[in-house]
Amino acid sequence: MTIQLLLIDSYDSFTFNLVTLFRDLSVRPEITVLPSAHLTPAYVSSHLFPALLAKFDVIVIGPGPGTPLQEDPDMGGIPHLWHAIEKYSTGSYRWVPPVVFGVCLGFQWILLRNGHPVVRLPSPRHGLISVLDVTEEGQKDLYAGLDGKEIECVRYHSLYVQYDIDFAGNHDIVPLAWSRDENEEGLKVLMAARHKTLPYWAVQYHPESVCSQYGADILENVFRMSKEHTILRRQWINRVLEQDHIPLLKASILERQDDLETFLRDRQHRCKVLHKWPHQSAKRLETRDKQADIAAPSLFQYIIDLPNNVNVSQFITELCEHVFEFSGVFSLLESAAAPGSWSYMGFNEDIPHRFTYYIPDPFLTETSTLRPQAWSVNSIDDVWELLASVMDVNISQVIQVGRGPNNTDLRISLDELKETVTNSRENGYDEWPSFFGGLIGYVSYEAGVVGGLNVRVDQESPAEVPDIDVTFYTRSIAVNHKTKRVFIHTFEEQNFVTIYRSWILRVAECIELLPEVRRARGCPPKERAMASLAKFREKKVPGEIQLPDKDEYLCKIDRAKEYLASGDSYELCVTDQTVIVEKGSLHDGSGDTNISFKEMRSDWAFYQQMKASNPAPYSCFFRSKKSALIGMSPERFLRWDNNLGECELRPIKGTVKRTSKTTVEEATAKLKTPKEQAENLMIVDLIRHDVSQFCEDVEVSQLMGVETYKTVYQLVSVIRGKNMRPGVTGPDILRGSLPPGSMTGAPKKRSVEILQELECHRRRGVYSGVSGYWDILGHGDWSVVIRSAYSVGGQGTDVERIWRIGAGGAITALSDRQEEWDEMNTKLEAALRIFQDV
């Protein structure tokens, strides 16, 4: 007998962790996840609803933001569902009800419906761990088989149930476990209960959290205790279908079954897969298909081994500067500090294929010629679909230049290259690059809000820079920091072979002449006549700086804590922006098409200053016509490998300033406090939920480890997803997981809506979005845009250029106002140092 389970999702950020917990039980239920808002009064009151109740053996009322005291909108369609269950369990429709299991919000709802008040806790318990005090009844019920074991549970709630038999007026609810916390002002809080006569169970805590214990055991007990009830219910429904004594109910169950399946299929949560989206921009795709039919490109690869004593950081700086002289504007993704081990550079000849999109414009712009082209889109979903079509490159063969016998070209198939790279990764080595060409750029915070959460962005706050800005690179260089090996790549149609080979060989020649390479080989440096990008600006640029207002920031913290106390959120990542105004143009009159040498040199100088003062594993340097992004992010958002069907995320929550007097032990003690660990735990559970929608297996390979960076100590966790679901690729996970949970809080959707209000609907822009690459061979790596600065303007005489630096912190119920202000400034200082002359 396959158990049919309906999980009602109240837009919580932990729902799919519950799905995983139920899925892995011995009964292996078939699970349908349905958003609570889709259970409308019109649907529940229709004749279709009995078919839904008949279909499912178990109904799970999941967690979510808000309060059961405010049915609309916090509870969505749950009250309508409950009323229908009660209706069809009495009178002429009397039948055997489904099994019900409530979690957190579901727990509060079930007990409230049975007469027990729901009120605020003296102090919210968000991401905090409690030990259960199991009752005698609980030891025979939910917690059977766990006698004598100390059971830790993770709590995410600011409201609690006042269990009071006299107030309820009945004895229907049986307590199964209480909290055993001594720091709750002597208050014992009910953590688990069941209905005395009906098959209803509920827990206040989150059994699906990574730090909750024995979650699977208590659910196994639920199915064990309800087995006979489920069998009896199935028999009752079958009798209804075989007999005519309840004709209306029978007709509803039988005749509406197809309609029910359509309803569930249309409304239940499903991940969007790029290649399954409707091709709204068919003309665009057909054009690319015709181009692809003319000549399938070849991938050219040239490998150089550097001396062991070479300074890789200095080498990358010199390489970018010198290749810029004959290849023009580039993008750089540099691992300037551990644990990163690869750096990638993207180059293009003349004007690159650059794709930009502004919310809510109805078009995607491509700049690949002197005249930009605009492609019609109905939504941001179409933008992602178009980018997927751009990345659909059919490489015909791989030519390793000069790697064959007698230094001849060695030709291999694309499958052979992929197999070599995949085998290396499976064996734990990182010898081959993950970027052979493709898209490099950023996706803004607002693009994630709209595309990942379907939350509207206030149109009164227009975008200063594109919300999606990516460039398609056909020429790239990859540097392995550990093996000191350089990979030079190009790909294009066959008739460009000579040009692309000459570019590879020119880069190879340039590498051998770099001062750092010659020094490492014991050779004197070559004199060069051309000016270097490394020269800092000859004079300071006058300007002004606008720092966050302390009183305003503290006010936002206070308002955030009120939302935490009301149950609307567990954690809110409140941010603010610093504005730096550079007065006077950097434009040198060289034309409107290209970026001037003076402009490029100015931003490159900023990047070098930032790297010197605060090196980070996910550094970036992007320069386009109207904006620049320079950053030293310590946080990986998402890395994927489609060939292995795996992905990895490394959220950071918890920061301690690093000084000459601060030891690792002292920093660890500060980061291992309940407040810091609660911040990190909430985001870990949120990310597990996001990834579980796309991968069969999700594991936490590192939970709250302390990592050391040049200016700070950070609390870092590592979540890995394996076995991507059929049809899912890395870009699906990227799109579906934005914006980064470490920059929003949890539950993500409600937290984002609250943050828009707290931050006065001011766009965050690039800050707290993501930057990285999407590779043509199935890889990707994106970091969270923090410890970064981006610019707007500066084109033309006497035009001001605006730089923005975002910073903030996660506000929890345990946050101290002054400490949060200090932490925000610690993060701000790391990026602000580059503007010491302003």
Side-chain angles (χ1 to χ4, degrees), residues 248-533:
L248 181 59
L249 185 57
K250 175 182 178 181
S252 297
I253 295 174
L254 285 177
E255 297 173 8
R256 302 287 181 164
Q257 195 64 40
D258 291 341
D259 294 339
L260 171 65
E261 296 301 330
T262 301
F263 172 84
L264 294 174
R265 183 171 58 251
D266 291 344
R267 289 164 175 77
Q268 71 170 308
H269 276 296
R270 289 182 181 271
C271 55
K272 286 189 175 180
V273 182
L274 289 180
H275 74 267
K276 290 185 178 179
W277 290 352
H279 290 261
Q280 300 289 346
S281 306
K283 183 178 180 181
R284 169 68 176 157
L285 298 176
E286 289 173 4
T287 302
R288 287 200 170 271
D289 290 341
K290 290 177 181 178
Q291 291 174 345
D293 291 340
I294 295 173
S298 297
L299 174 64
F300 294 83
Q301 177 172 262
Y302 190 91
I303 302 174
I304 297 176
D305 289 314
L306 301 175
N308 287 330
N309 61 335
V310 74
N311 183 315
V312 177
S313 178
Q314 180 62 26
F315 166 78
I316 290 172
T317 297
E318 293 177 358
L319 180 61
C320 288
E321 294 169 6
H322 288 77
V323 177
F324 170 75
E325 293 173 359
F326 60 85
S327 280
V329 178
F330 60 87
S331 291
L332 170 65
L333 299 167
E334 182 176 4
S335 293
S341 59
W342 283 92
S343 293
Y344 300 105
M345 290 141 271
F347 297 91
N348 268 323
E349 190 71 20
D350 301 322
I351 299 174
H353 289 269
R354 178 171 172 244
F355 298 88
T356 56
Y357 173 71
Y358 291 82
I359 296 172
D361 287 354
F363 54 85
L364 170 73
T365 300
E366 178 187 359
T367 305
S368 56
T369 62
L370 294 179
R371 176 176 295 178
Q373 301 181 68
W375 309 105
S376 176
V377 296
N378 293 325
S379 68
I380 198 170
D381 289 351
D382 290 346
V383 175
W384 284 101
E385 187 246 349
L386 272 171
L387 294 178
S389 74
V390 171
M391 291 298 296
D392 190 14
V393 179
N394 181 26
I395 300 293
S396 61
Q397 62 180 335
V398 179
I399 303 175
Q400 297 198 42
V401 181
R403 300 296 289 184
N406 301 320
N407 209 32
T408 59
D409 293 349
L410 179 64
R411 297 172 186 261
I412 62 174
S413 68
L414 182 63
D415 290 339
E416 288 178 287
L417 176 62
K418 285 185 176 181
E419 184 178 0
T420 301
V421 174
T422 301
N423 288 340
S424 174
R425 297 238 159 71
E426 284 184 320
N427 293 325
Y429 300 108
D430 200 16
E431 299 175 341
W432 288 85
S434 296
F435 185 74
F436 295 83
L439 293 172
I440 296 180
Y442 71 78
V443 180
S444 76
Y445 173 79
E446 280 71 29
V449 168
V450 173
L453 295 177
N454 196 29
V455 174
R456 189 178 70 88
V457 172
D458 193 335
Q459 303 306 324
E460 295 180 2
S461 177
E464 298 175 305
V465 295
D467 287 295
I468 295 180
D469 191 340
V470 290
T471 299
F472 186 73
Y473 288 102
T474 57
R475 301 176 176 183
S476 63
I477 303 174
V479 180
N480 188 316
H481 291 236
K482 296 178 181 178
T483 64
K484 310 293 178 69
R485 176 168 281 189
V486 181
F487 297 78
I488 309 170
H489 296 115
T490 69
F491 65 90
E492 193 48 87
E493 284 79 7
Q494 293 289 349
N495 55 332
F496 287 99
V497 167
T498 303
I499 296 175
Y500 273 67
R501 267 200 60 136
S502 66
W503 184 83
I504 286 181
L505 298 177
R506 190 170 183 182
V507 172
E509 178 184 353
C510 175
I511 289 174
E512 295 301 329
L513 296 177
L514 292 178
E516 177 57 28
V517 175
R518 292 185 64 83
R519 181 204 63 75
R521 296 195 192 281
C523 303
K526 291 280 187 179
E527 295 292 333
R528 296 186 61 87
M530 301 184 90
S532 173
L533 280 175

Side-chain angles (χ1 to χ4, degrees), residues 100 127 150 194 226 246 373 381 406 477 492 527 678 723 773:
V100 179
E150 188 173 83
R194 70 159 297 166
S226 63
I246 310 182
Q373 301 181 68
D381 289 351
N406 301 320
I477 303 174
E492 193 48 87
E527 295 292 333
N723 299 323
Y773 65 81

Side-chain angles (χ1 to χ4, degrees), residues 608-624:
Q608 294 303 317
Q609 287 175 304
M610 188 179 283
K611 185 170 75 168
S613 63
N614 185 35
Y618 308 107
S619 307
C620 66
F621 175 83
F622 304 141
R623 188 65 169 89
S624 64

